[in-house]
Amino acid sequence: METIAERLKSVQLTVEQSTLDAHRPSNSTKLLAVSKTKPVSDIVQAYEAGQRLFAENYVQEGVEKIQKLQTLDDIEWHFIGPLQSNKTRQVAENFHWIHTLDRLKIAQRLNAQTATGKMLNVCIQINIDQDDNKAGIAADELNSFAKVITEFPKLRLRGIMTIPKAKQSPTQQAASFAKMAQLYTHLKAQYSAVDTLSMGMSGDMVNAIQNGSTMVRVGAAIFGSRN
Ligand SMILES: *Cc1c(COP(=O)(O)O)cnc(C)c1O
């Protein structure tokens, strides 16, 4: 069986090769290691192999891990799951990023609950395939929602995120990723802090990078499949 360090290495190589194939600079696609459901010892293994960006989906599980790993203080923690308003404080206090912002009420709470001197990095989630099962705002709501978000002093708008519909051909997924890339280019031209197009997971990271992703969120390919 391959170790976490070996799988991480192979994902890093895939990410780098796809980035170069897409005619983008070396190291310009970031790799988020999605450690949801996996033990703290797995995170430590990836950390020791050099990984510094980690993502969690569930507030309570994530906060427990962050607290246990406090001594590894150069980890950047990303929240990538659905967020209910009664849990915003834990995200504001423990995470550096949230990728799934899609509601004004959540933004208001995160802004109010982020400590003085800290900025919370946010990506707006887009439901690019208009999938009833997916969270996120519609693509045509992005301009107005982004404007509101950038007015909150504690939130730093870094970009947009999507999870494409699962049962699609690679060609259909590429079309969804390409639509995201267009939205991203437009947003980046308006707001100087925007530098992140968060899309691509274990099964579709190459496709996502070919279509402009700057940050892939990879779980199973690094940590093994989840139950
Ligand atoms: C679980 C999850 C991932 C990682 O998925 P894998 O298929 O394990 O790579 C990425 N993004 C989100 C939002 C997730 O929930």
Side-chain angles (χ1 to χ4, degrees):
M1 238 185 74
E2 277 185 307
T3 63
I4 287 174
E6 286 164 347
R7 284 192 297 243
L8 176 64
K9 183 82 206 165
S10 119
V11 170
Q12 285 168 341
L13 289 172
T14 302
V15 169
E16 176 67 357
Q17 191 56 53
S18 312
T19 303
L20 296 177
D21 289 348
H23 308 289
R24 301 219 317 272
S26 176
N27 285 317
S28 61
T29 310
K30 293 193 169 148
L31 172 60
L32 258 185
V34 180
S35 44
K36 65 181 177 205
T37 80
K38 299 295 179 181
V40 160
S41 56
D42 283 11
I43 299 176
V44 172
Q45 283 183 51
Y47 180 88
E48 284 172 352
Q51 180 65 28
R52 291 294 180 273
L53 313 184
F54 289 88
E56 290 284 335
N57 279 64
Y58 311 103
V59 177
Q60 194 179 328
E61 179 192 340
V63 169
E64 278 170 22
K65 289 175 179 172
I66 292 169
Q67 286 171 356
K68 282 189 187 143
L69 293 168
Q70 256 170 3
T71 53
L72 308 183
D73 62 3
D74 56 349
I75 292 184
E76 188 175 89
W77 290 102
H78 293 240
F79 185 75
I80 61 169
L83 181 57
Q84 291 161 352
S85 57
N86 61 346
K87 302 223 170 110
T88 51
R89 179 174 294 281
Q90 285 166 286
V91 169
E93 290 179 349
N94 290 280
F95 285 86
H96 303 102
W97 284 67
I98 172 169
H99 289 231
T100 48
L101 191 64
D102 63 357
R103 279 192 291 153
L104 180 58
K105 183 180 172 198
I106 298 287
Q108 285 166 332
R109 293 177 63 90
L110 289 170
N111 178 66
Q113 292 164 342
T114 297
T116 311
K118 176 178 168 179
M119 296 282 279
L120 186 65
N121 298 293
V122 308
C123 290
I124 295 170
Q125 184 171 356
I126 312 274
N127 187 354
I128 198 69
D129 296 316
Q130 293 157 297
D131 179 350
D132 291 340
N133 301 316
K134 292 266 154 48
I137 63 168
D140 63 8
E141 295 169 333
L142 178 59
N143 268 334
S144 56
F145 192 62
K147 184 170 188 305
V148 175
I149 296 308
T150 53
E151 283 161 9
F152 287 110
K154 310 307 282 298
L155 306 183
R156 184 183 284 129
L157 180 63
R158 298 293 294 269
I160 52 177
M161 175 271 206
T162 201
I163 311 170
K165 215 175 189 161
K167 294 197 180 73
Q168 288 194 110
S169 69
T171 312
Q172 287 169 319
Q173 279 195 347
S176 303
F177 288 142
K179 271 191 229 164
M180 285 292 292
Q182 271 191 354
L183 295 175
Y184 172 65
T185 304
H186 186 71
L187 193 68
K188 200 172 153 63
Q190 290 173 279
Y191 303 105
S192 60
V194 168
D195 60 0
T196 302
L197 177 51
S198 166
M199 60 188 195
M201 320 201 296
S202 294
D204 58 11
M205 62 181 144
V206 172
N207 199 347
I209 294 168
Q210 277 167 352
N211 288 286
S213 169
T214 72
M215 192 182 276
V216 289
R217 310 176 307 265
V218 179
I222 297 172
F223 296 108
S225 56
R226 292 175 297 273
N227 297 327

